[in-house]
Amino acid sequence: MDFFIQLFTDPVGFYNQHELLIAQIGINAILAISIFVTFYSGQLTLANAGFMAIGAYTTVIMSLYLPTPLPVDMLVGALLAAAIGFLVGLPVLRLRGVFLAIATIGFVEALRLGVILNLPITGEGQGLKNPSADPLGGIVPILISVPILTYLVWRLTHTRLGQAWAAIREDELAASSNGINVPAYKMVAFVISALVAGYAGALETHINFFVDPTEYSVTRTIQILTFAVVGGTTNVIGPIVGAVFLTALPEIVRQFAAYRDVVNGIILILVIIFRPQGIVGRGGLAIIAPRWWTRWRTRERAAAAH
Amino acid sequence: MSALLQLTNVNRSFGGVHAVDNVSVEIEEGTIFGLIGPNGAGKTTLVNLVTGYIRPQSGSIKLLSPPPPASEKGSNSPPPLAGEGRVGAAVELARRPPHAVAGMGIARTFQTLRLYRNLTALENVLAGMHLRRRDDTLQQLIPIPAFLKEDRRRWQHARELLARVGLDPDKFGNRQAATLSYGDQRRLEVARALALNPHLLILDEPAAGMNPAEKDRVRALIQQLNQDGLTVLLIDHDMRLVMGVCRHIAVLNFGRKIADGPPATVSQDPAVITAYLGSQAQKTAAHVPGSEEMDVAATSTAVSAEPTSPLLEVRDLQVSYGAIQAVRGVSFGVAKGEIVALIGANGAGKSTILNSLSGVLRPHSGVARFGELDLTTAPPDRIVSQGLIQVPEGREILARLTVRENLELGAWGRSNGRSAHRDIEGLMKQFPILGQRRDLPAGQLSGGEQQILAIARGLLAQPKLLLLDEPSLGLAPQMVDTVFDVIKKIHNDGVTILLVEQNALRALEIADRAYVVETGRILLSGTGAALRRNPEVQKAYLGG
């Protein structure tokens, strides 16, 4: 409760006290945007943790060995994640549903256990120290990126591309009969998702002093998936709400912090049973909007129809 | 008129089945072309070949000199379609992916509705305009009114398309597609196909599951679209619709084209009548209605009274799938020891009736009693244990299990293992086809052998009444004979049988009594012999 009281009565103090939490919420919100893009095009891909790792390691390795400025390192990290996303997508996107999910999980684990733990330049199992880490400065690009990315992806769903994604999600066969090049548009979604995940990984290294390979395992990917499931995927706000809610929750109920995963699991089950469309349903914040508001909207619409 | 689409010696087989066997068809520009044939004839496979969903193994599919797209009335001419070869010489369609075929101006609807169910009606149509929408990422990123002019034009055009197929855009435009009524969903699918601004519109069973009034509206719509200059390829089971609206018809059977010509010629073609009514049709067709034999048959109709104390009694049965009413009040009875047949064209509701008797489906209303058991509420396992056993359409054998294992599963519900074992051995002797293949995986049996296995499996549950759903489906003629011999044999052993068949004349040959089902209602009833000579039966199938 103190958490909320402080949030409203003393926002500046709240910000100073919870800076790392806010940064983490921002990172998770960006990851939620990343998984939203693939979900919106109807693909259950769980490779986000892998692309994060690529973004993070690339950024840190570049700041260790190259004189390039940090923003360039981060950009290269995100672009490399996108490029590898393209290569991974070539074979993997022929799969659908659960098979796609398993293949992408396979990619995450193969990257971590096969590549990161065996390449000397990544510090192998030891991880890497990040020379350019700046926890307090790192929060600024995060706080700027979240609204910009949200806006971009929200507008993207209204473009020709976004419309094709929605059609593919609803019915691939019908989409191709409408002239939509299904494999190509799926690939675009997968690459954009990889780009955003890689960017989130690069941002995260900026607030941590250390890149730790265990951060980028399947557990992380599943955590990102829960953002999308709990928040809902009919629009970009859904996964972000899920990310904010699930990241802040252990702070709100401190007494349960030790049982964080248990609480997350219970929330996930409750959402799947009672609100399968997620907290944010079709047409915005359905559950948060008061009932008179929805009633008023329906009446408005009915009036407009006549 | 010149040809628009030309198929030459197109072949496609799945495993050992020739789904499309050396078919050549030419569709003229501006026509309404009908493609008909019994269930499993290869019609939808042919459509999938043309639209790129399936690749032909040999043969060519050519789109000939497509004219530039006609611009829509009331809207600025749409931007040219993406895709090569829009204007010019013949374009080979085989081996092109579906989206490229769509880019050539070929739009289609699907036999089973494939709408974007969670999008609104308008969004469905807008998605259909994909190829006519320019990439607008930058305009959408800065959504100021000046940049969204194109957007508004597309919405306006989508509303016009909805209106064109008879959906009021104000009323239905913002409704989620899945919430529309079945007929409206079919119409919406047509609107979405039209959004492509096609040369050729392929409608795969647009009137399936519709009532007569809805069918009339579909018919009017097809004619209207054709008058507006669209070439239409129509596939449907409803002969009245096809015969009424098409100018040219091709008939497929077992993947082969058996007839091709104007409707009047095709409906008189002996090969077509055989394909639809079964191998005995030509003999019967030779009888001129009103001849002596006909009169004899007519008197015998009166003899076949409904049983007074039936084993199975069905009264006013109604069954719906969501918005579609498949069975609209059907009453009939089956007495102990009879073979009763339900015949009728595909989609008439025959299988639905069986499924609602065996507890797979729940009827909407009506009475269905089997002895003391109320079939409308009893759980399926109880229905089976009381001796009402269904042999489902398409056989549903377990392909990876051996013949023996399949039979053992049929005896699942029986408590006495030894007697079940004895019965299995008995069946293996009775049907040597199964005995010889006892250790083969059932999936390796031929279709007819699988059918016999499915019937034998049904027998192991010790039926009092056996429901057989399309036992001759997809079988070669000799195999049909074998299967019908088996049915006669088990009937002689004392099993009562309710048979559903598309192959009407074969079914009528062995049936004591039969009912002709059409669009969910019983049209005619009588003894098998009488109905066999009744010209109305042929009419029900071919739309006369």
Side-chain angles (χ1 to χ4, degrees):
Chain A
M1 215 55 228
D2 293 346
F3 187 84
F4 290 108
I5 293 170
Q6 194 190 6
L7 175 63
F8 290 112
T9 53
D10 178 19
V12 177
F14 178 86
Y15 176 84
N16 289 333
Q17 200 180 330
H18 294 283
E19 204 151 359
L20 271 182
L21 175 68
I22 291 166
Q24 197 57 53
I25 287 175
I27 299 279
N28 285 345
I30 296 173
L31 288 168
I33 293 171
S34 157
I35 203 166
F36 168 78
V37 174
T38 43
F39 264 52
Y40 194 78
S41 65
Q43 304 175 82
L44 183 59
T45 64
L46 300 175
N48 311 61
F51 297 127
M52 271 184 88
I54 295 168
Y57 273 99
T58 310
T59 309
V60 174
I61 290 169
M62 281 181 74
S63 16
L64 279 171
Y65 299 106
L66 295 174
T68 44
L70 188 66
V72 174
D73 299 347
M74 286 169 56
L75 189 70
V76 172
L79 288 175
L80 190 66
I84 290 176
F86 176 74
L87 294 178
V88 171
L90 286 177
V92 154
L93 291 186
R94 291 159 190 262
L95 303 171
R96 286 191 181 84
V98 176
F99 301 101
L100 177 60
I102 292 169
T104 46
I105 285 178
F107 159 72
V108 171
E109 287 300 272
L111 181 75
R112 190 171 68 91
L113 300 172
V115 180
I116 295 177
L117 293 190
N118 288 307
L119 273 187
I121 201 171
T122 63
E124 297 174 357
Q126 308 294 315
L128 284 179
K129 240 196 195 129
N130 183 0
S132 58
D134 174 14
L136 296 185
I139 196 170
V140 178
I142 295 172
L143 291 184
I144 295 172
S145 298
V146 172
I148 292 179
L149 282 175
T150 308
Y151 177 80
L152 287 179
V153 170
W154 171 60
R155 284 318 301 171
L156 209 55
T157 57
H158 288 77
T159 62
R160 181 174 191 254
L161 177 70
Q163 191 175 50
W165 283 343
I168 292 169
R169 178 191 66 217
E170 293 292 318
D171 193 321
E172 279 186 33
L173 234 66
S176 57
S177 83
N178 290 147
I180 293 168
N181 187 343
V182 175
Y185 281 101
K186 278 179 160 185
M187 178 61 96
V188 172
F190 191 63
V191 169
I192 291 179
S193 169
L195 182 80
V196 175
Y199 180 60
L203 283 174
E204 198 181 45
T205 62
H206 203 43
I207 55 168
N208 290 339
F209 289 100
F210 201 71
V211 191
D212 179 0
T214 58
E215 277 288 303
Y216 307 112
S217 66
V218 176
T219 325
R220 187 67 185 263
T221 274
I222 301 293
Q223 191 199 0
I224 301 169
L225 175 66
T226 45
F227 300 156
V229 174
V230 169
T233 49
T234 45
N235 58 48
V236 68
I237 302 298
I240 294 175
V241 167
V244 173
F245 175 63
L246 289 176
T247 318
L249 193 71
E251 288 300 315
I252 299 168
V253 282
R254 276 272 170 79
Q255 53 273 47
F256 292 121
Y259 307 101
R260 188 193 161 125
D261 289 341
V262 178
V263 173
N264 279 2
I266 291 170
I267 290 172
L268 189 61
I269 291 168
L270 291 178
V271 166
I272 288 170
I273 293 173
F274 294 109
R275 202 172 159 80
Q277 70 273 43
I279 295 175
V280 181
R282 190 183 161 82
L285 296 165
I287 208 174
I288 299 166
R291 214 170 266 164
W292 59 262
W293 167 254
T294 20
R295 234 183 287 141
W296 181 75
R297 281 287 298 269
T298 354
R299 217 178 304 145
E300 277 300 278
R301 255 187 228 154
H306 284 294
Chain B
M1 282 287 163
S2 61
L4 180 65
L5 187 73
Q6 190 179 47
L7 279 70
T8 322
N9 302 329
V10 176
N11 275 294
R12 174 71 213 205
S13 53
F14 298 104
V17 185
H18 291 281
V20 169
D21 191 354
N22 220 22
V23 171
S24 301
V25 175
E26 209 173 271
I27 297 175
E28 295 212 323
E29 205 185 317
T31 190
I32 303 179
F33 192 100
L35 187 62
I36 63 172
N39 207 354
K43 305 178 297 288
T44 297
T45 307
L46 198 68
V47 171
N48 284 338
L49 285 166
V50 171
T51 49
Y53 288 89
I54 301 174
R55 295 182 165 197
Q57 279 145 342
S58 65
S60 89
I61 302 167
K62 282 198 169 71
L63 185 68
L64 301 164
S65 352
S71 65
E72 299 285 330
K73 272 177 265 170
S75 71
N76 306 328
S77 71
L81 291 182
E84 48 195 303
R86 259 314 266 196
V87 184
V91 185
E92 177 63 48
L93 294 180
R95 273 169 272 278
R96 276 177 201 268
H99 67 90
V101 174
M104 303 285 164
I106 298 181
R108 69 172 290 184
T109 64
F110 293 86
Q111 187 178 0
T112 48
L113 279 165
R114 284 191 165 275
L115 287 172
Y116 305 127
R117 295 175 56 82
N118 294 313
L119 305 187
T120 66
L122 272 171
E123 284 168 345
N124 267 273
V125 179
L126 286 166
M129 292 182 189
H130 178 79
L131 287 177
R132 295 157 64 185
R133 183 172 177 181
R134 285 194 213 103
D135 183 50
D136 56 351
T137 311
L138 287 178
Q139 286 95 313
Q140 290 289 350
L141 288 184
I142 311 156
I144 53 169
F147 280 7
L148 298 179
K149 223 164 32 190
E150 181 93 357
D151 236 27
R152 284 195 299 274
R153 211 170 55 75
R154 272 184 308 109
W155 279 84
Q156 187 49 40
H157 188 50
R159 291 170 63 87
E160 283 164 17
L161 282 170
L162 280 183
R164 193 165 167 200
V165 299
L167 289 172
D168 180 359
D170 290 323
K171 203 164 145 207
F172 296 110
N174 291 321
R175 287 247 315 259
Q176 215 176 314
T179 66
L180 297 179
S181 79
Y182 179 76
D184 288 344
Q185 290 191 23
R186 285 258 174 227
R187 264 191 285 280
L188 176 57
E189 219 188 34
V190 175
R192 187 180 67 183
L194 290 175
L196 193 69
N197 204 3
H199 303 304
L200 174 64
L201 177 66
I202 304 178
L203 299 171
D204 196 352
E205 302 205 20
M210 286 189 172
N211 64 35
E214 287 172 320
K215 277 183 180 176
D216 286 344
R217 288 168 69 184
V218 170
R219 181 184 180 149
L221 174 63
I222 294 171
Q223 278 164 339
Q224 182 58 49
L225 292 174
N226 183 248
Q227 272 164 26
D228 294 349
L230 197 63
T231 312
V232 178
L233 170 57
L234 172 69
I235 294 149
D236 211 287
H237 280 296
D238 188 310
M239 289 306 141
R240 245 161 248 161
L241 176 71
V242 174
M243 296 286 171
V245 85
C246 294
R247 275 180 236 145
H248 196 103
I249 289 175
V251 188
L252 292 184
N253 193 26
F254 289 114
R256 290 212 180 88
K257 188 174 83 172
I258 57 170
D260 190 344
T265 330
V266 165
S267 66
Q268 296 304 316
D269 193 312
V272 176
I273 295 170
T274 307
Y276 268 84
L277 295 178
S279 47
Q280 309 295 308
Q282 286 182 58
K283 250 189 278 167
T284 344
H287 292 292
V288 182
S291 73
E292 239 174 278
E293 218 176 321
M294 178 69 207
D295 295 339
V296 175
T299 50
S300 71
T301 316
V303 180
S304 76
E306 296 280 331
T308 44
S309 58
L311 180 65
L312 173 74
E313 187 193 6
V314 175
R315 257 188 294 127
D316 205 28
L317 191 74
Q318 305 205 11
V319 191
S320 310
Y321 299 101
I324 326 159
Q325 203 181 359
V327 177
R328 306 157 192 267
V330 161
S331 304
F332 65 96
V334 182
K336 198 164 189 302
E338 275 189 310
I339 298 187
V340 172
L342 298 177
I343 60 173
N346 201 353
K350 309 182 299 291
S351 297
T352 307
I353 295 174
L354 287 200
N355 286 335
S356 63
L357 295 180
S358 61
V360 178
L361 286 174
R362 288 300 174 197
H364 205 62
S365 66
V367 177
R369 299 196 71 79
F370 175 63
E372 291 303 301
L373 194 66
D374 181 1
L375 297 176
T376 58
T377 54
D381 59 317
R382 183 101 201 288
I383 295 174
V384 168
S385 69
Q386 293 289 307
L388 190 150
I389 311 297
Q390 184 182 25
V391 178
E393 183 176 2
R395 312 188 265 274
E396 310 274 326
I397 53 128
L398 302 166
R400 290 192 189 175
L401 299 187
T402 65
V403 169
R404 214 200 136 72
E405 286 164 340
N406 266 283
L407 289 175
E408 281 165 358
L409 277 173
W412 179 261
R414 291 171 56 169
S415 47
N416 187 338
R418 197 168 293 164
S419 90
H421 184 74
R422 216 170 32 237
D423 284 0
I424 291 177
E425 288 306 319
L427 281 169
M428 298 268 204
K429 280 208 193 75
Q430 202 182 349
F431 306 120
I433 288 179
L434 302 181
Q436 288 152 15
R437 293 162 176 74
R438 62 170 68 207
D439 293 321
L440 273 184
Q444 288 183 16
L445 303 186
S446 78
E449 290 162 359
Q450 289 182 10
Q451 184 63 56
I452 291 168
L453 173 59
I455 294 174
R457 189 179 57 184
L459 288 177
L460 279 170
Q462 297 175 311
K464 291 195 195 106
L465 173 63
L466 194 64
L467 310 181
L468 294 176
D469 197 350
E470 303 268 9
S472 76
L473 181 75
L475 300 186
Q478 311 96 295
M479 216 56 226
V480 174
D481 291 341
T482 315
V483 169
F484 274 87
D485 287 344
V486 166
I487 296 171
K488 262 186 253 174
K489 200 163 158 190
I490 58 176
H491 176 240
N492 290 338
D493 295 345
V495 180
T496 310
I497 291 172
L498 177 59
L499 173 70
V500 156
E501 257 297 342
Q502 243 198 121
N503 192 335
L505 293 176
R506 285 314 294 266
L508 293 176
E509 210 173 287
I510 63 164
D512 295 312
R513 290 184 308 110
Y515 299 86
V516 180
V517 185
E518 201 193 43
T519 55
R521 287 200 181 80
I522 288 180
L523 195 71
L524 291 168
S525 68
T527 64
L531 285 177
R532 209 138 59 96
R533 301 197 166 75
N534 191 334
E536 288 286 319
V537 175
Q538 190 172 333
K539 234 175 154 183
Y541 272 78
L542 291 176

